[in-house]
Amino acid sequence: MASLSLTGAKISPYSGLLRRDIVRFSSPFTVTLNPISAPRSVSRAMLSPRKALSSSNLSGFATCLLDFLRASPATWESSIASNLLIFTLGSPLLLSGLSASGIGSAFLMGVLTWRAFDAPGFFLVAIYFVAGTAVTKLKIAQKQALGVAEKRMGRRGPGSVFGSSAAGCACALLSIYSVGGSAFSELWRLAFVASFCTKLSDTVSSEIGKAYGKTAYLVTTFKVVPRGTEGAVSVEGTIAGLLASVILSTVSYFLGEVNTPQAAICVLASQVANFGESFIGATLQERDGFQWLNNDAVNVLNISIGSILAVLMQVLIVDGWR
């Protein structure tokens, strides 16, 4: 039988408990229950997985995960983890705009972008991707009938991903490894933003022109040509492309990636670069000796021109006036 000890007094028997179930009152204020001797109902409650996995534990795990993802400055580990989470959640959208190999290439670009420019830089690229995918899908049946639609129902592959992001990735690497020191860090960020303003403007102008452009003109002679001709431009597409670059540069400003003069620089550089891209398409692309100059190669030249122009305008005009 069990026994109850109260400051030396001993009372026995104690009904309802076995001998191993001993409650000892060491003082009038403290009570200690031997955990081994707890009734089975109590033991099961203490060891229940539901009790162990409490809301406070989940909250603590979520907080630790968010702190890891929001590491500032970003680390390679936080960049990979952030992209894994975002790519998993956004997989339906990614599959609508990219092939499987294109998603792999985009993941590498995303990790590099997050590592260099943190979440704001990644968010900027995400906006470019969503907007670019949306305009590519516009009137895609009509574009297919004209033979000017993107292949695979607009799902872009690794070549297109690289062609759209080569300059941005180069800027990210220059920023990560602090090439040129702190004096150049702002220039790499500006060039990064300018490259995506240029590419989005080019994509929107091309896709809107093919979908809604009434008349297309060859940029070198302004002769009327069929929609989708290399080097052709339309009024509708040009205006849409300009608005796209203005919107993306404005978003970059609110994200803290660029200041007001730099936002204006990105818009101007993108329009000059897109004119250059149209000129290259009209004069060199698919000509003898330039078979290597396909759409992806022209895209690399286009965004590189936009990035370089933005840096030159910042250094020679804005900084030159200070």
Side-chain angles (χ1 to χ4, degrees):
M1 302 297 290
S3 61
L4 180 65
S5 176
L6 177 60
T7 62
K10 189 173 183 180
I11 302 174
S12 178
Y14 188 82
S15 131
L17 294 176
L18 298 177
R19 180 172 297 279
R20 67 175 181 274
D21 301 322
I22 301 174
V23 180
R24 294 191 181 276
F25 291 78
S26 58
S27 71
F29 304 101
T30 59
V31 179
T32 303
L33 176 64
N34 187 345
I36 299 177
S37 64
R40 291 185 178 181
S41 59
V42 177
S43 300
R44 288 174 180 173
M46 291 174 62
L47 300 177
S48 171
R50 292 184 180 179
K51 295 293 183 181
L53 193 61
S54 64
S55 59
S56 60
N57 290 337
L58 290 174
S59 177
F61 175 77
T63 301
C64 291
L65 179 62
L66 287 175
D67 289 342
F68 179 71
L69 296 178
R70 292 183 296 192
S72 183
T75 63
W76 286 113
E77 292 81 2
S78 67
S79 301
I80 293 172
S82 300
N83 275 265
L84 281 173
L85 177 62
I86 294 170
F87 271 60
T88 300
L89 296 175
S91 56
L93 179 60
L94 289 167
L95 287 171
S96 71
L98 297 171
S99 64
S101 55
I103 291 176
S105 302
F107 180 81
L108 296 176
M109 183 197 71
V111 170
L112 197 61
T113 298
W114 195 292
R115 176 65 178 82
F117 304 114
D118 293 301
F122 182 92
F123 185 59
L124 185 73
V125 178
I127 293 175
Y128 154 74
F129 170 74
V130 172
T133 300
V135 296
T136 300
K137 300 289 186 181
L138 284 175
K139 291 193 174 184
I140 194 165
Q142 172 184 301
K143 295 173 187 175
Q144 287 176 326
L146 294 172
V148 296
E150 291 290 329
K151 299 176 181 177
R152 301 181 294 269
M153 292 295 292
R155 297 174 67 225
R156 301 175 187 269
S160 181
V161 172
F162 178 76
S164 302
S165 64
C169 289
C171 293
L173 287 170
L174 291 169
S175 179
I176 291 170
Y177 294 104
S178 300
V179 176
S182 57
F184 281 78
S185 61
E186 184 180 352
L187 293 178
W188 305 144
R189 189 179 297 272
L190 170 63
F192 172 82
V193 174
S195 72
F196 283 100
C197 284
T198 300
K199 187 59 196 134
L200 181 60
S201 178
D202 173 52
T203 300
V204 170
S205 62
S206 176
E207 297 298 335
I208 293 296
K210 288 185 287 189
Y212 298 101
K214 293 182 173 58
T215 307
Y217 305 91
L218 196 63
V219 74
T220 52
T221 62
F222 287 96
K223 291 182 178 180
V224 176
V225 293
R227 281 182 289 182
T229 301
E230 296 296 343
V233 296
S234 67
V235 173
E236 296 83 356
T238 301
I239 293 174
L242 174 61
L243 290 175
S245 66
V246 169
I247 292 171
L248 195 61
S249 63
T250 302
V251 171
S252 301
Y253 168 78
F254 284 109
L255 289 173
E257 296 294 281
V258 294
N259 56 33
T260 302
Q262 290 172 340
I265 283 174
C266 289
V267 173
L268 181 58
S270 69
Q271 300 312 296
V272 175
N274 284 338
F275 177 82
E277 188 258 0
S278 297
F279 186 84
I280 292 172
T283 58
L284 300 177
Q285 193 170 355
E286 299 179 355
R287 301 295 177 88
D288 291 340
F290 291 94
Q291 286 81 4
W292 58 271
L293 200 60
N294 56 21
N295 284 335
D296 295 334
V298 171
N299 284 335
V300 172
L301 291 175
N302 180 32
I303 59 178
S304 298
I305 291 171
S307 296
I308 293 170
L309 282 176
V311 170
L312 290 176
M313 283 190 277
Q314 174 69 31
V315 173
L316 299 178
I317 301 176
V318 177
D319 292 344
W321 286 349
R322 292 175 181 175

